[in-house]
Amino acid sequence: DTLKRHTVQQIISREDFKKRIRENSPLTMLETLYPLLQGYDSVAVRADVELGGNDQLTNLLVGRKMQQDEGQEAQVAMTTPLLVGLDGVKKMSKSYGNSIGLNEPPQEIFGKIMKLSDEMMLMYYELLTDEDLPAIKTRHPMEAKKGLAQLLTARFHGDEAGAHARKFFEETFSKKELPTDIRAVDLPSGLSLSEMILRCGGVKSRNEARRLIQQGGVKIDGKKAAADEPVATPPSFVLQMGKHQFVRVTLS
């Protein structure tokens, strides 16, 4: 009965479906049935309100129709704009590689937000904060962006971490100085550079460390490391892993 009450035209009225049909891009049967499966959730829980991104509008409306067909009061469908990811094109998603993880270190969150364009920064202010947007627009874009980065970093790691991440960014990238509170690590001599990076917590695996070295993302006392080999330097040096991680290594 459910399938008889819904039409193909209703399902493919979604803007993304219409776009893919125009471009002759594949559209699977699973994707066309998904709105019905999601819609039935509203029937099963007798939903009063369903909230989703604006790309979910068709699915939410299908849920309303299915509730009416079952003699239920139709839910209120509420949508919100989608948060665009760091690439500035697609919605933020871990699968697209354009996301900011809520459990990422404070310096990573701060640094990623600082990469936003000025236009995207204002969108993030509007969607993620309750700040006065007209007042934000009167500020210098760099200061406004630092404020946003500190605000969002503090939301997930606390005010102190937000302030520290800002201080770290300004010392490292704005003033071109080393951070004042670099973490100290003692390591045995003779380790390969990738093993050293792994032990310092800069990556999660040796392969990831090797990729970072190959991509030029590792520096020793400010000089780019060229190969994954034992470090032949003075007993103490600053190891930079990526843009935001620094440790002072002492070899024994």
Side-chain angles (χ1 to χ4, degrees):
D1 287 345
T2 297
L3 293 177
K4 290 179 181 178
R5 294 181 182 135
H6 296 273
T7 66
V8 173
Q9 288 88 342
Q10 178 187 10
I11 300 301
I12 64 174
S13 65
R14 279 178 45 170
E15 284 301 321
D16 57 334
F17 283 2
K18 290 193 291 187
K19 181 174 183 292
R20 287 162 65 181
I21 290 172
R22 286 196 303 270
E23 297 173 350
N24 199 29
S25 181
L27 181 62
T28 68
M29 290 301 299
L30 176 60
E31 290 175 287
T32 59
L33 289 174
Y34 184 83
L36 300 179
L37 300 176
Q38 179 177 323
Y40 192 76
D41 286 345
S42 300
V43 175
V45 302
R46 307 182 75 88
D48 297 315
V49 179
E50 186 171 3
L51 176 66
N54 53 20
D55 61 335
Q56 296 292 311
L57 180 59
T58 298
N59 297 352
L60 304 187
L61 295 178
V62 168
R64 282 175 54 88
K65 177 66 166 59
M66 294 178 77
Q67 285 180 309
Q68 292 170 328
D69 291 342
E70 295 294 330
Q72 298 179 13
E73 183 176 351
Q75 65 185 7
V76 174
M78 298 179 63
T79 62
T80 63
L82 295 176
L83 185 67
V84 176
L86 298 175
D87 59 0
V89 179
K90 298 179 180 178
K91 66 180 181 181
M92 184 177 287
S93 171
K94 188 175 181 180
S95 61
Y96 292 148
N98 65 356
S99 63
I100 302 174
L102 305 185
N103 60 349
E104 289 184 4
Q107 293 167 3
E108 289 292 325
I109 293 177
F110 195 101
K112 285 184 175 181
I113 293 170
M114 291 303 298
K115 295 178 181 178
L116 298 175
S117 67
D118 293 347
E119 182 179 355
M120 287 181 63
M121 172 191 68
L122 293 176
M123 179 185 67
Y124 275 50
Y125 261 115
E126 182 176 10
L127 297 182
L128 301 177
T129 79
D130 56 3
E131 298 293 302
D132 183 353
L133 195 58
I136 294 297
K137 291 179 178 179
T138 65
R139 297 169 60 185
H140 188 283
M142 177 57 73
E143 285 304 310
K145 198 173 297 183
K146 288 180 183 178
L148 174 66
Q150 182 173 348
L151 182 66
L152 295 181
T153 301
R155 177 176 298 173
F156 300 108
H157 291 282
D159 292 340
E160 184 177 348
H164 181 271
R166 178 168 183 161
K167 181 173 180 287
F168 175 92
F169 180 89
E170 291 176 341
E171 288 179 341
T172 307
F173 299 100
S174 299
K175 300 179 183 178
K176 303 298 183 182
E177 300 174 355
L178 286 175
T180 56
D181 53 352
I182 299 177
R183 178 167 55 95
V185 178
D186 294 328
L187 293 175
S189 58
L191 295 177
S192 67
L193 182 55
S194 60
E195 178 65 23
M196 189 175 294
I197 295 169
L198 182 62
R199 294 197 186 192
C200 289
V203 294
K204 295 180 180 179
S205 70
R206 287 281 294 275
N207 286 337
E208 187 178 347
R210 294 188 185 102
R211 283 196 297 271
L212 191 61
I213 297 168
Q214 292 171 356
Q215 293 166 0
V218 178
K219 293 182 180 180
I220 298 173
D221 281 341
K223 296 181 179 179
K224 190 176 296 184
D228 181 20
E229 56 190 14
V231 180
T233 63
S236 181
F237 54 90
V238 173
L239 176 64
Q240 179 178 347
M241 304 167 290
K243 291 185 176 181
H244 310 299
Q245 298 189 77
F246 295 80
V247 293
R248 184 174 295 281
V249 177
T250 299
L251 300 177
S252 58

